[in-house]
């Protein structure tokens, strides 16, 4: 089975600062990779996904992530944090051959004014 | 747009009650999932279904059952609710169709409190 590790369960950044949320996965075969965002008391919304096209993936709200096979990483970044970015972020992996999904434990992002 | 609708956003039940959580998707997806979300534990898979009347246990099926009588509907059942089942429950769907890129589509969640 796959595993997904999100380093840092809580991350705080100042408004306007760089956002970096880390995600590493365990797989010898590149899977599909996803970042989801969850606002308070809501479901998960897809931010972006990697499906073997470009390694740098752009998503909604100015977020992007880079797939690095050698590091088995898929870190999420945003150049300038906005107050509305405060939310829980989940990294997820799915295998290409089935319908199994594996989630990280989430990173709560706080944006300080 | 895919829409996954969970029937109840907030429920309060008493210990021992039978609880039904309903989920409907409108995109003819083959796969449907029930997750439980707790702080610090992320999302844990309870059950999933890849076809009508088919179900597979996930990581934490104990105390839960599911029903999928129609393709668009996937129900989670707590036969006898207990306080340790107080949680956020998330339904999701996905498709295996050509062009599938694997993402899950989530409902808004159902926050269950068992007293």
């Amino acid at each position: 089975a796959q595993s997904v590790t999100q380093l840092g369960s809580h991350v705080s950044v100042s408004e306007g600062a760089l956002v970096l949320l880390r995600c590493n996965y365990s797989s010898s075969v590149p899977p599909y990779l996803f970042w989801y965002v969850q606002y308070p008391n809501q479901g998960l919304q897809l931010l972006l996904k990697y499906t073997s096209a470009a390694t740098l993936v752009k998503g909604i709200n100015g977020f992007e992530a880079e797939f690095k096979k050698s590091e088995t990483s898929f870190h999420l970044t945003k150049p300038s944090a906005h107050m509305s970015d405060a939310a829980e972020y989940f990294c997820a992996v799915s295998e290409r051959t089935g319908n199994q999904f594996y989630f990280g434990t989430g990173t709560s992002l706080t944006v300080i004014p | 747009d895919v829409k996954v609708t969970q029937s109840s956003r907030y429920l309060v039940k008493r210990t021992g009650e039978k609880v039904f959580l309903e989920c409907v998707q409108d995109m003819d997806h083959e796969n449907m999932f029930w997750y439980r979300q707790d702080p610090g534990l992320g999302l844990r898979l309870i059950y999933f279904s890849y076809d009508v009347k088919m179900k597979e246990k996930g990581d934490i099926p104990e105390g839960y059952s599911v029903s999928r009588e129609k393709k668009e509907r996937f129900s989670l059942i707590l036969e006898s609710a207990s306080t340790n089942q107080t949680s956020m429950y998330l339904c999701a769907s996905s498709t295996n169709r050509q062009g599938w890129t694997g993402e899950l589509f989530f409902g808004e969640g159902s926050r269950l409190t068992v007293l």
Side-chain angles (χ1 to χ4, degrees), chain A residues 11-16 19 81-87 109-113:
Chain A
V11 170
S12 294
V13 299
S14 297
E15 191 174 15
V19 176
H82 191 273
M83 296 298 294
S84 61
D85 294 328
L109 177 66
T110 300
V111 182
I112 303 165

Side-chain angles (χ1 to χ4, degrees), chain B residues 14 19 33 53 70 111:
Chain B
R14 299 228 174 254
V19 181
F33 305 79
K53 297 191 185 297
K70 294 185 178 181
R111 186 167 292 282

Side-chain angles (χ1 to χ4, degrees), chain A residues 22-113:
Chain A
R22 299 178 186 273
C23 173
N24 289 87
Y25 64 92
S26 66
S27 175
S28 58
V29 177
Y32 293 141
L33 296 158
F34 309 89
W35 276 99
Y36 284 86
V37 61
Q38 184 182 34
Y39 299 103
N41 294 313
Q42 293 188 22
L44 275 68
Q45 176 184 356
L46 184 68
L47 261 184
L48 50 79
K49 61 185 178 184
Y50 167 77
T51 58
S52 80
T55 57
L56 183 62
V57 181
K58 295 188 183 298
I60 62 172
N61 301 337
F63 283 93
E64 61 183 36
E66 186 173 8
F67 169 65
K68 291 187 176 180
K69 182 179 177 181
S70 60
E71 299 176 7
T72 59
S73 69
F74 191 56
H75 302 330
L76 181 71
T77 61
K78 182 174 180 178
S80 177
H82 191 273
M83 296 298 294
S84 61
D85 294 328
E88 187 93 17
Y89 291 81
F90 291 92
C91 181
V93 167
S94 75
E95 296 173 341
R96 293 165 182 257
T97 56
N99 52 23
Q100 289 290 322
F101 293 80
Y102 304 89
F103 284 88
T105 53
T107 297
S108 177
L109 177 66
T110 300
V111 182
I112 303 165

Side-chain angles (χ1 to χ4, degrees), chain B residues 86-97:
Chain B
T86 292
S87 188
M88 173 73 123
Y89 291 88
L90 293 166
C91 177
S93 72
S94 72
T95 182
N96 297 331
R97 290 193 288 267

Side-chain angles (χ1 to χ4, degrees), chain B residues 13-74:
Chain B
K13 297 292 182 180
R14 299 228 174 254
T15 301
E17 281 192 83
K18 191 169 187 176
V19 181
F20 291 89
L21 299 179
E22 302 283 339
C23 176
V24 177
Q25 49 91 7
D26 66 357
M27 281 299 290
D28 200 35
H29 282 177
E30 301 82 25
N31 309 314
M32 296 188 75
F33 305 79
W34 275 106
Y35 287 91
R36 172 176 171 160
Q37 183 182 13
D38 299 288
L41 298 177
L43 277 71
R44 293 180 291 169
L45 182 63
I46 304 171
Y47 270 97
F48 69 96
S49 169
Y50 53 87
D51 201 353
V52 175
K53 297 191 185 297
M54 304 302 289
K55 61 184 179 184
E56 295 284 343
K57 292 181 179 179
D59 300 318
I60 52 163
E62 296 78 19
Y64 304 94
S65 61
V66 290
S67 173
R68 192 160 181 208
E69 296 297 317
K70 294 185 178 181
K71 190 175 185 179
E72 68 270 19
R73 187 179 299 269
F74 192 37

